[in-house]
Amino acid sequence: MTSHPVSAFKVPEQFIENLAISADFLSTRDICLLSQTFDEWLKDVFIDNDISDLLSARALFVDAILKKLWCQHHLDEFQISLVAVGGYGRGELHPQSDVDILLLTQEEIDLELEEKISSFITQLWDIKLDIGHSVRSIKECLKQAVKDVTVATNLMEMRQVSGNETLTQQLMPLLHEDVFWTSEKFFIAKCKEQENRHQQYRGAAYTLEPNLKANPGGLRDIQTIAWVAKRHFCADSFEELVEHNYLYPNEFFELLESQDYLWRMRFALHFVAGRNENRLLFDHQADVARMMGFGDEGKAPVERMMKRFFRIIARVTELNTMLLQHFEQAIIKKPEQSSVSIINQDFELVDTLINTRNDRIFMRPVKMIEMFLIIAQEPSIKGIHSHTIRLMRNARRRLISGLVDYAECRRMFMAIIRHPRGLGLALTLMHKHSIIASYLPLWRNIVGQMQFDLFHAYSVDEHSYRVVKNLHQFSQKEHNHKFPLCSKITQKIRKPEVLYLAGFFHDIGKGRGGNHAKLGAVDALNFCLSHQMSKHDSNMVAWLVEHHLLMSVTAQRRDISDENVIRTFGEIVRDEAHLNYLYCLTVADMRGTNESLWNNWKANLLEELYFNTLSAFRHGLEKPVEIRSKIRENQQQALALLSEYDIDEQAIKALWREFKIDYFLRYSPEQIARQCHNILKHDREKPLVLISSVPYRGGTEVFIFTKEKNNTFANTVSFLDTKKLSIHDAKIITTKTGFTVNTFVVLDSRNKPLRERFYTKEISQALVDKLNQEGVCDLPEPKLTRHIKQFKVPLRVNFIKIHVKNRTMIEIIALDRPGLLSNIGQVFQKEQINIHSAKITTFGEKADDVFTISTKEDDALTPEEQEDLAIRLTQEIN
């Protein structure tokens, strides 16, 4: 809304006096120094003063600069007007915001005036004002505004700064005529503009680096409400909208509170970034939180600031939805144009929106939950009427305790969860309008709860909502093609509500300290029992919540081709029913954490772990796999495949005698056949590098067979790093004859397997050249990305107990940075450590790498050797 610079807030007189219109000449340097002093003053008074006063003060200061320069360039001698438009026109000017001005002229301007305007604008740039300007006549203004709603909006907020007021006074009345923009046309255009802007964010407001201005629920959404109402009511403030009964007083204060918080964030962000920046980048979040008074002790201030931000934008989004819909229904659309049908004695359908038939209906809290059950039951309902949203908002605030305390609410909530459409539109609207938090007090704790890292893309409540939506999608046959296995399992599950409730509760323990999975399991069990679920189903939900990370951790950090790993995992899972539920929950959880990190590699790992465990259940977990029979089976199948080539069987068996038994256990018959065929026809004096053209587990397999020498692993990983290939898996085997057999699974920078043959051929040859070099490859100085620089991940070296006597498992957690794997490989080489396998996992900014290793004598490391290795790794990585 238009909010002219206030006079109540005292701007230090020296700033305005020095810029006052006088005969004194101020140079560009003088103005720059004064502007710098003014900005320092703004920063100093930021924490203790009303933000609207500070924005007005900056607009007033810029007014004084423009007036001074306007006279210095003798523009006051011409028939031309200097007009502020946009945010500057409203008197809301942030430290680095654009200063949008309109130079309003007569029909034509002569050469002399044109030169003076050019000189004026050039000096504005010289004094570092981010000027957006246009030079137009009244006729041109109207012509452009009729064609472009953005231009029309800017003109609606115009404010005279200097020059000929007659021109401005001539333009002003014309802006209120219907030939300019009718209320209806303007409303439709602004709604379309907002819809397009929201689509750029995929409808997701809860992003890691939100745009304070353009994000759904951000400042633009508040301004859209104001613009639409201003056009219709000719109002210059939110207060006037209260007088017109468009806004209720409580809504007015809520909008002001939300706007002030977003303004303060943006104001601080401009100072921290030193430029006109609206995205709250990771680089700036800690400094913005500090400037806003949230403290500076680690991640907590950022998480507190963001928690409030996410709650604010949820409130703005709801107000925006309600008020724009109310405008359309009560002001644009005639009541007789709506079709009304009765649903029951309490609710009706107005067009496609559910509406209450009694303004006191929500005095009975159970009616709120009943409304969402009706939404689930009636497919013709597409949303909630603005009048009902307003009643629901007021009723929600009056609640003394959670809706879960009412037995009838509990019955209806479970009916929604069990309904085939309950987790569709009904759940979406319950989440959007904070009814889940009103129902379940525990949910309120996670609303807006952010985790300051690169792994979790959403606040905890938004993530949990997305997980439940993912689970529900598995039950919809139209989505079968996306996740066939999950869909097949979910659609056969007799009680899908068990799965859905596990999704609701899996992260509900976050933010309370302690193990969130164990805390959530207790909460889930109590919830299920209080909702009349059987003890068996309640225990299943609690088990899923407690173990919701088990499958992803096992798949990503353990060798799932190892029968011991499968047995250990299977013993925890216990049976096929638990496995089915856990698999679906894990896929939904990983997809809902950060969609950009989900890829075919992870999907294939989970699927392989699922089928390996399923096979173990069906053969009996208590029956260990007979190693020799497994080796014989793999060899026989590989021989059958190799028989297609003209290779002597004796030559194959001679080659196999060079390999240790690990080789035949850790590779499939297809891999053994392909690798051995290429080894036999290759000159062993040169490294053999094979890059698969067919994706393996959703990644690209890089196979290396070469003479064993120092730093083969370190050089390989450093080379792949320079090619921007991320390593996700590695198998390292040495032969009895001094050769090393290494296999890496890699993905490109887009998280995809390599596709172009010419590129894989180029990489293959370059890797051969690298492996032919002696010594360690020189690593370039690691360049941390903008995101990574903001994080500190304490280095941790852990040793994990495993059931293999001559092996040691080591886990290394560190900041994910270029060269990390190479550093680790060099330490292993120096300490004469054999690497047998590696699982390379990245969780946002954190690398979590697990290696199975042994000493050079092929034994497990002693406690003393483990301690020494941990010290060496710490020194090298840090």
Side-chain angles (χ1 to χ4, degrees), residues 556-558 727-728 796-798 800 809-817 820-822 824 828 837-843 846-852 877:
Q556 294 182 88
R557 295 163 60 188
R558 299 290 183 268
I727 300 169
H728 290 262
R796 285 187 287 159
V797 179
N798 305 317
I800 302 167
M809 185 173 283
I810 182 172
E811 178 187 46
I812 302 168
I813 299 172
L815 182 69
D816 182 39
R817 59 165 175 78
L820 174 64
L821 272 180
S822 183
I824 294 169
F828 287 156
S837 68
K839 297 288 282 187
I840 313 301
T841 310
T842 304
F843 299 101
K846 182 175 73 173
D848 191 341
D849 302 337
V850 178
F851 299 86
T852 303
I877 294 171

Side-chain angles (χ1 to χ4, degrees), residues 314-434:
R315 291 159 65 186
V316 171
T317 298
E318 185 176 55
L319 282 167
N320 176 275
T321 300
M322 181 189 78
L323 292 170
L324 291 184
Q325 192 198 108
H326 170 61
F327 188 89
E328 180 181 22
Q329 292 161 342
I331 297 169
I332 299 293
K333 196 174 184 181
K334 303 293 185 289
E336 59 271 17
Q337 294 175 320
S338 296
S339 113
V340 180
S341 57
I342 307 302
I343 295 173
N344 60 26
Q345 63 180 4
D346 298 316
F347 297 99
E348 64 186 12
L349 192 63
V350 179
D351 295 328
T352 60
L353 305 175
I354 190 170
N355 192 29
T356 57
R357 302 181 65 200
N358 174 356
D359 285 359
R360 297 175 61 82
I361 190 68
F362 293 136
M363 295 296 286
R364 292 185 59 204
V366 69
K367 290 297 176 181
M368 269 192 278
I369 300 298
E370 182 184 338
M371 180 176 70
F372 290 98
L373 180 56
I374 292 169
I375 292 171
Q377 293 168 339
E378 297 289 338
S380 56
I381 297 174
K382 304 302 178 188
I384 305 174
H385 195 281
S386 60
H387 179 66
T388 301
I389 294 175
R390 188 168 252 158
L391 294 175
M392 181 175 64
R393 281 168 50 82
N394 293 333
R396 202 175 61 203
R397 284 175 167 78
R398 289 196 300 267
L399 288 172
I400 297 171
S401 61
L403 292 168
V404 72
D405 291 345
Y406 299 88
E408 189 63 10
C409 284
R410 293 197 295 272
R411 185 189 67 77
M412 287 187 177
F413 184 84
M414 289 306 296
I416 293 170
I417 297 295
R418 291 184 172 117
H419 195 281
R421 288 190 301 273
L423 300 183
L425 179 63
L427 177 67
T428 297
L429 293 173
M430 288 175 78
H431 176 58
K432 181 178 180 179
H433 294 291
S434 302

Side-chain angles (χ1 to χ4, degrees), residues 15 304 341 541 784 851:
F15 298 122
R304 285 197 292 269
S341 57
V541 174
L784 300 185
F851 299 86

